[in-house]
Structures are given as C-alpha cells and as structure tokens.
Amino acid sequence: MTTTQPHADERRLPMWHEALLYRSRDEYVDGLTAFLHEAIADERPAFVSVPAEHGDLLRASLDGQSHLVRFADMRQVGANPNRILPAIRAFIDEHADREVSFIGEPIWAGRSEAEVAEATRHEALINHAFDGTGARIICPYDVSALDPRTVADAYRTHPRVWADGAWVTSADYTDPTFLWCTIKHLPPVPAEAETFEVETDDLPRLRARADAHADDAKLDLARSQDLALVVSELASNSLNHAGHPGTVALWHEDGTVWAQVTDRGRITDPLAGRVQPDRTSWGGRGLWLVNNLSDLVQLHSDETGTVIRVRISRPS
Amino acid sequence: MTARVREAGRLDHGDHVCAVFETPADHHRIMLDFVKDGLRAGDRVAYYTHTVDPSVVLFRLAADGLEAHAAAAAGQLVVRPAAETCLANLPFDPAGAVASLGAQVEAALGAGFAGLRLGGDMTWAARGVPEGDRLLEYEQLMTEMLDNRPALALCQYDGALLDSATADAAVGLHNRRLLAPPPPPPRAQVEMTADGLVLRGEFDLSNAPALVAAVDQLLADGGQAHVFVDELVFIDGQGAAQLMRLHRTPAPLVLHGAPAILRRILEVCWPEAEVCLP
C-alpha cells in the first residue's frame, strides 16, 4: 500500500465518513479500490452505490472479487436523495454482526441545484444517523466537474477529506443537525401555482385538484395516484401535527407536478421520513410514504414553520 | 317568512335571492350551483366571501368540477373578500355599497357579459360590523337596484348566527329563496357483512373514526380478518395502518380485490408483511 492510498492508518472511529475529492479516473479507481480491498480483506460487508458507469469501473478493477461487493446504481437509489439513508441502514441491519463499508456518490455533475442541496443535506445526516455503528463510509466527489460550492460543502459534511493526494481533517466540518436545519434551496413558488388552504373535509378535493394537475402534466395513472397519496399525506400531516390547515401550492410543467405544503408546525427529528416505520407504530408513515413516492422532497423546518416541496415526474 | 318569497327554480335577472344555510357544506353547495348556473348563462359571477379565503373558494369550485380558474382568468368569475365591497367603507353604508354594486352591473355589460350575478356570504351582518343593523335597509336598496337590470343577487345567511326575527325580516326582503341541494352520497361506506368488512369509496383523515371502529369490532370478534376492498377508491397511510392491525399471527389479513393504491402503500410501508391478496 502506498502513501497515496486511503486508509493506510487504522484509526478506529465510531464511524468513518470521508470525502474523496478526485480529479481523475485513476484517482477515483485507486482510492476506492483500495477501500474495497481493505474491506474484503477484513471480511467487512461492502456496499457501493455510485452512478452505474462508475460502478462498472470499480467492478472491473476488483480483480475478480466484485462478487463480494454489493452494487446499486445511485441514479436509482439516490434519485431522491432522501432514500439513500434507509438503503444504507438496511445494509447495516442486514449485517448486524459486522461493521460495514459503504461507498456513496450521491452528487455528480449535471444534477439540479435542488437535488444537490438535498444530497448535501443527506451527506450531513449520515454523520447523525450512523454514529456508533462503526460503518466506514467514503463519498467520491468529482472536483474537476462539480461547482466549487458543492466541493466546499463536502468539507462541511465530512470530518475527513482526501484532497490533492493526502487525507486532511476538515476544519469546516459542521454539526449535521445544524446543516439539516439551514440548508435551504427553495426558489419562490411560481406565480401560476394554485394556492389554497386544506381543511380536513377538503382532502378529497385536494386529491381531485392533484389529479387535474397530473392530467395537465400528462403523468401516467400510477404516478397520478402516487401524487394524490403524497399530497393527501402532506396536508394530513399539517392537520395532525401542526394542528391547523396547511397551505398547499400545486403547479406543473410537462411531465412533472410540484406540490408544496406549508404550515406553522415544526419538525424536530432530522431523520423524519428517513427511517422505515416500525410495523406496529402509528406515526411516521406519512413522510416515509412521501419520500418513497416522490422524485424529490425538499423539507425545511425551523421555528417559523415547515415547508415541504415535492416533485413527481413521469418516468423517463 | 312572508308569502311573496318563492322557492327558486331557475334564477332570472332582477331576482334578489336569499339562502339561509345551516352548515358550511350547505353554504358551499348553494354557492356551487349559483356559480355554475351563472357561468353557463354567460353572466359575470362576482362572489364576495367572508369566512373563507377567495383562494379556498376557487379551489373548492375547481375540485367540484367547475373550470373556476379558467373562468377567473377570463374575468367571468370574480371571487373577492366582502371586505372589498359592503365592508369597504365602515361604518356600514348601505346606499354607498349598493351604488358600487350597481356600477359593477354596468362594468360587466361593458366587458361583454350578458349580465351580472352577485353572490355574497352575509355572515358579517351578524358579526358586530359598525352600523351592521342597517342590513334591512341595504337589502331593500338591493331589491330596488336589481329591478329592471340584467343582474341578480344571492345573499347567503348563516342560520346559526342570525336571530329568527332578523332572519325572517331579511328573507322577507328577497323575492326568492334557495334551499341547499341534497347532500351528495357519503364518500366512504363501511359495511360489516357475514363474509367480512366491506370498504367502499375514499378513506382519509375526514372519516378515519368509522374505519377505526370497524377494525376494533373485527379485532373483538377474533379469527382471521377478511376485508373486501375492490370498491375502495382511496386510502391513506393511516387508514392502511388501521387495516394492518388486522394482520396477526397465525391469521394473516386477507384483502380481497386490493386496488393499486393500497398495494403501493403495503409495498412501501410493510414490505415484509405477508398479507393475503387473493
């Protein structure tokens, strides 16, 4: 092992969460292959979720050992970044007797600003969710292609960073619950949006309006039904948890419907909607459904209230 | 109630119509029919709300099948707060209010509409508006203003808020009276049969207690639960959670004819539960 390879040291941490800032394909493959070889040698279960073409590169570099590693296309798993945390959690739970290794690349060049903001929020929450599990998590960032602000955020969400050929402790590392509260990418609701409050008796009407927007956006039946369920859950959450009607905004473009629900309640659990609800528990199912049925979920909650914006699109 | 008030059929220009509603749902159904008829007749419809925001009125009308947003964009439907008309200048000034409504008739004609239909939630009259007791004067002036003009007006009164003497007097100043259309059939039905529980329609927060009660009863009865959901149109996560209370060891829940929406919720929230889906 040369000094340019990560994990030459054997620090034991409650968990590792590191960013690999790479500038070339070789740096990507060398760094991550070393991480996987180490996991294989230590018999740690390994899970790789990166864009499929990157997964192919890593598979080819594993010298016939790729069957020991689980691969999943991050474009699927992390299409909605809020679904990545439960995917990692499921892998950890599946291997309860072992500490696991995970490579996650939720941010790639070309992702929309809204998606990058949510993927960054997810990166912050990794530190909160898996503290104490002993998981070793490394997240590659393509610094040659990503916006410098995105790379700067990697220093805020990862305690340790591989940059310019060396590991450094990030001086910018930031408390994950602080980032969860403060990352905000919500452009104004467009003027053409339909906006109204939803009382309990209006829930069927809300679904009727969601159906109308889905028709206008030419969503298929399955996505239309998902949309109706998602908006119904969000408006019900306001009534149940905030204790008053939420304000709903609906708007669409071809192939996509947006819905936003605002209320004066506050969500305090950063993992709300990112933990598979216990089968016997009553609460927590609304946001879990919302995260699993939407293409993007932007949740922002502070002392002034809660805003949840969702995007539901026709499958491409 | 005076004898000259007729129960309404179709409304005509010149009519000054009154409707006393008992529930918000009645209020909405009367307004829905009023707006629908007006748009169909080619009149401009201007509705003045008091307890409900105009955006909510538009939303409800649209959800109930009217092209409300298109009509609003075209200027045929105008939904505004009463604060902008009758209550624009306080203390309440009946003559001024009626004069400004009269000017709106001319504006509607000028914009190319066949006439103007004015609708209003008169709840403010019972809510301590300064000089609000000049209501009867206002209603009398409205009747005179509408006479021989291509316009009509609907005044909706909350029966729970008005004392009966004022209500009778106010109704008496209108030439017609609208009654609330019959309520639509319930959106959801819960039926316990010898074979099991039958659920029809839409289940959400608005009717959750009926579902909870039915599930409680099935649990009390014991044995394997059979639920027939082939006519289920919608259920939310909480409703599905209620059904999952019936999924027990060693008797899994049997869901007959589960629609896509319910299968979707089960797949997302209970991926490992082996519910019988014949």
Side-chain angles (χ1 to χ4, degrees):
Chain A
M1 211 176 271
T2 70
T3 54
T4 58
Q5 284 169 338
H7 297 283
D9 65 343
E10 275 298 318
R11 288 184 309 149
R12 285 279 169 185
L13 294 173
M15 78 152 180
W16 294 13
H17 186 210
E18 303 177 333
L20 175 84
L21 308 189
Y22 66 95
R23 292 185 182 279
S24 68
R25 173 193 281 213
D26 284 350
E27 199 175 10
Y28 184 87
V29 171
D30 290 351
L32 297 180
T33 309
F35 176 83
L36 290 173
H37 278 312
E38 197 181 290
I40 292 166
D42 292 351
E43 297 186 344
R44 273 198 304 274
F47 179 25
V48 176
S49 190
V50 296
E53 64 278 15
H54 288 176
D56 292 344
L57 283 176
L58 294 177
R59 253 194 219 97
S61 314
L62 279 174
D63 306 327
Q65 291 189 296
S66 66
H67 63 283
L68 298 173
V69 176
R70 185 176 306 170
F71 284 87
D73 183 3
M74 185 56 100
R75 289 185 205 276
Q76 303 284 324
V77 175
N80 169 1
N82 296 12
R83 291 202 288 261
I84 308 170
L85 220 60
I88 305 172
R89 169 62 66 187
F91 189 74
I92 290 173
D93 289 349
E94 201 182 315
H95 305 279
D97 56 332
R98 313 283 305 178
E99 295 179 349
V100 308
S101 292
F102 174 69
I103 299 175
E105 188 173 10
I107 297 177
W108 53 85
R111 284 210 95 163
S112 71
E113 276 188 53
E115 290 173 5
V116 169
E118 293 315 315
T120 303
R121 198 191 311 278
H122 149 76
E123 286 277 45
L125 288 179
I126 281 185
N127 303 299
H128 176 74
F130 302 124
D131 191 20
T133 63
R136 298 176 182 208
I137 299 176
I138 188 165
C139 307
Y141 282 75
D142 183 356
V143 290
S144 65
L146 293 172
D147 188 311
R149 288 172 304 171
T150 306
V151 177
D153 279 340
Y155 281 89
R156 304 168 78 203
T157 54
H158 296 80
R160 231 162 65 110
V161 175
W162 172 267
D164 302 318
W167 284 109
V168 294
T169 299
S170 172
D172 292 336
Y173 178 72
T174 306
D175 175 65
T177 53
F178 175 80
L179 287 179
W180 175 74
C181 286
T182 49
I183 293 172
K184 190 170 187 180
H185 179 85
L186 285 171
V189 170
E192 75 271 16
E194 181 184 354
T195 304
F196 46 85
E197 285 189 355
V198 178
E199 304 269 2
T200 307
D201 285 339
D202 286 322
L203 288 168
R205 290 194 180 99
L206 169 63
R207 296 192 292 272
R209 290 310 299 154
D211 281 348
H213 282 267
D215 280 353
D216 289 345
K218 302 189 196 69
L219 296 194
D220 57 33
L221 180 62
R223 291 309 270 157
S224 300
Q225 290 191 342
D226 288 346
L227 174 69
L229 179 55
V230 164
V231 296
S232 208
E233 293 291 343
L234 289 173
S236 301
N237 263 5
S238 292
L239 291 160
N240 277 331
H241 300 304
H244 59 83
T247 300
V248 174
L250 290 171
W251 68 100
H252 66 269
E253 58 198 62
D254 184 42
T256 296
V257 178
W258 297 86
Q260 175 174 298
V261 179
T262 309
D263 63 46
R264 297 186 301 280
R266 184 174 191 176
I267 294 171
T268 53
D269 178 6
L271 300 182
R274 298 177 202 243
V275 178
Q276 165 92 45
D278 187 87
R279 70 161 288 228
T280 54
S281 78
W282 298 117
R285 224 161 251 111
L287 285 178
W288 177 256
L289 278 165
V290 168
N291 272 333
N292 278 281
L293 300 182
S294 306
D295 293 295
L296 186 68
V297 178
Q298 298 164 271
L299 184 156
H300 190 265
S301 191
D302 62 22
E303 67 282 358
T304 65
T306 297
V307 184
I308 305 177
R309 185 180 293 189
V310 302
R311 188 186 81 206
I312 291 187
S313 298
R314 194 167 54 212
S316 46
Chain B
M1 203 171 302
T2 59
R4 68 191 182 85
V5 175
R6 291 185 289 137
E7 301 290 325
R10 264 192 102 76
L11 302 181
D12 301 309
H13 286 160
D15 279 343
H16 187 199
V17 190
C18 166
V20 181
F21 62 90
E22 301 299 328
T23 66
D26 280 351
H27 174 263
H28 176 76
R29 282 199 302 280
I30 293 167
M31 176 180 63
L32 175 66
D33 280 359
F34 175 76
V35 174
K36 197 185 283 178
D37 288 347
L39 296 182
R40 199 183 291 138
D43 287 349
R44 172 178 279 171
V45 180
Y47 195 90
Y48 292 92
T49 71
H50 186 63
T51 54
V52 182
D53 192 82
S55 64
V56 173
V57 172
L58 280 179
F59 150 61
R60 288 178 177 161
L61 293 173
D64 291 345
L66 276 189
E67 296 283 347
H69 293 99
Q76 194 183 3
L77 174 61
V78 181
V79 183
R80 305 297 311 164
E84 291 183 9
T85 53
C86 285
L87 306 184
N89 299 302
L90 292 179
F92 178 47
D93 167 21
V98 172
S100 93
L101 292 172
Q104 285 192 32
V105 180
E106 306 311 317
L109 297 174
F113 297 104
L116 177 66
R117 297 185 184 218
L118 291 160
D121 179 350
M122 306 297 286
T123 304
W124 55 266
R127 294 257 172 104
V129 169
E131 301 286 320
D133 52 356
R134 297 176 70 188
L135 177 70
L136 299 183
E137 186 184 335
Y138 164 81
E139 292 290 26
Q140 180 59 44
L141 288 170
M142 275 298 280
T143 299
E144 291 165 15
M145 186 276 281
L146 293 167
D147 191 33
N148 291 320
R149 286 203 210 202
L152 60 88
L154 165 70
C155 304
Q156 289 190 263
Y157 284 96
D158 187 339
L161 291 178
L162 280 187
D163 66 83
S164 60
T166 311
D168 284 352
V171 168
L173 289 168
H174 298 76
N175 72 325
R176 284 190 165 186
R177 182 172 186 186
L178 278 184
L179 297 178
R187 286 194 316 274
Q189 276 184 304
V190 178
E191 190 188 346
M192 204 67 82
T193 71
D195 294 330
L197 175 64
V198 183
L199 301 179
R200 299 185 183 89
E202 299 180 55
F203 288 85
D204 59 27
L205 204 54
S206 64
N207 50 23
L211 181 57
V212 174
V215 168
D216 284 346
Q217 191 188 326
L218 272 185
L219 281 173
D221 294 348
Q224 185 160 38
H226 288 259
V227 183
F228 296 82
V229 283
D230 46 317
E231 291 178 62
L232 180 73
V233 174
F234 178 83
I235 192 163
D236 63 8
Q238 286 199 29
Q242 285 300 324
L243 294 182
M244 288 305 289
R245 290 172 62 206
L246 299 166
H247 184 58
R248 289 160 298 170
T249 312
L253 168 64
V254 189
L255 287 174
H256 297 268
I261 179 94
L262 181 52
R263 288 171 187 265
R264 190 83 156 123
I265 298 173
L266 295 180
E267 163 196 314
V268 170
C269 293
W270 292 273
E272 274 127 43
E274 291 178 1
V275 174
C276 295
L277 296 164

